[in-house]
Amino acid sequence: NAGVTQTPKFQVLKTGQSMTLQCAQDMNHNSMYWYRQDPGMGLRLIYYSASEGTTDKGEVPNGYNVSRLNKREFSLRLESAAPSQTSVYFCASLFGTDNQPQHFGDGTRLSIL
Amino acid sequence: RKEVEQDPGPFNVPEGATVAFNCTYSNSASQSFFWYRQDCRKEPKLLMSVYSSGNEDGRFTAQLNRASQYISLLIRDSKLSDSATYLCVVMNQAGTALIFGKGTTLSVSS
């Protein structure tokens, strides 16, 4: 099913390890987003990219870096994973015109021991 | 005040019931509003956009009150398959990102 593809779907890391979560969309959307979702906290925006070549911090950017590699791809990197970063991570994309919905990937379930 | 606030529930209703969810938002300059649905351990999916004039999609009706900065979702004739978490969503002032409420959980029982 086309749309937003995230990899991997599951990952277990040790504290201090690094990893990159990958996201790609094939809908020619301009904007892409990374969220994390924790129980009782709802979806919180980590970083977003309103267009190719730009990135901006969201609500909870600390401990993360992002790269908008091209229009299709937006990656999220954890340089030194911490247990507090255990979460479900969602990538989303948006065309960019008014009143258009976001499309989400299936999510990455990340556990940090 | 949080940007988007919802009653977390849970709402437990029998099949066939009518249930209403409310949501308030803090930024009066917000222009776009949505309701998303999220099933357990799944990604959020758009349920419906919310327009100033109110809009209906089958058993679902969404209303927006800009003066009160209030959004509602009404579900009529609830089905078992309506059990999910409903997320109230508002576009940020810059128009670059969506801000999600924490969600309201609905459980419909037979």
Side-chain angles (χ1 to χ4, degrees), chain A residues 60-113:
Chain A
V60 288
N62 292 343
Y64 304 95
N65 286 301
V66 290
S67 296
R68 183 76 183 266
L69 303 170
N70 47 54
K71 192 170 186 179
R72 291 188 64 248
E73 298 173 287
F74 188 40
S75 62
L76 178 72
R77 183 160 179 85
L78 287 70
E79 289 291 352
S80 179
S84 61
Q85 294 178 302
T86 293
S87 188
V88 180
Y89 291 85
F90 288 103
C91 177
S93 70
L94 176 71
F95 186 72
T97 57
D98 287 347
N99 228 30
Q100 291 297 307
Q102 277 183 332
H103 296 261
F104 283 81
D106 292 342
T108 296
R109 284 161 179 75
L110 182 61
S111 293
I112 299 160
L113 308 177

Side-chain angles (χ1 to χ4, degrees), chain B residues 50-107:
Chain B
V50 186
Y51 302 112
S52 297
S53 56
N55 48 300
E56 187 173 307
D57 182 2
R59 298 181 292 108
F60 299 85
T61 301
Q63 297 278 353
L64 169 64
N65 184 323
R66 287 188 183 273
S68 301
Q69 294 176 215
Y70 171 93
I71 306 163
S72 66
L73 177 68
L74 183 76
I75 305 175
R76 292 182 299 277
D77 189 24
S78 298
K79 311 292 186 189
L80 294 174
S81 57
D82 293 334
S83 297
T85 296
Y86 291 83
L87 304 168
C88 177
V89 186
V90 176
M91 177 73 78
N92 68 356
Q93 186 171 358
T96 54
L98 296 182
I99 309 300
F100 286 76
K102 292 183 179 181
T104 299
T105 301
L106 172 66
S107 178

Side-chain angles (χ1 to χ4, degrees), chain A residues 18-73:
Chain A
S18 62
M19 91 161 286
T20 300
L21 307 186
Q22 306 287 353
C23 176
Q25 53 92 7
D26 61 4
M27 296 174 284
N28 200 35
H29 284 173
N30 295 313
S31 304
M32 297 185 73
Y33 307 82
W34 277 105
Y35 292 90
R36 61 178 288 175
Q37 188 172 35
D38 303 293
M41 298 297 292
L43 280 157
R44 293 183 292 169
L45 184 64
I46 304 171
Y47 270 95
Y48 66 99
S49 171
S51 61
E52 187 178 354
T54 67
T55 61
D56 288 283
K57 294 178 180 179
E59 181 184 357
V60 288
N62 292 343
Y64 304 95
N65 286 301
V66 290
S67 296
R68 183 76 183 266
L69 303 170
N70 47 54
K71 192 170 186 179
R72 291 188 64 248
E73 298 173 287

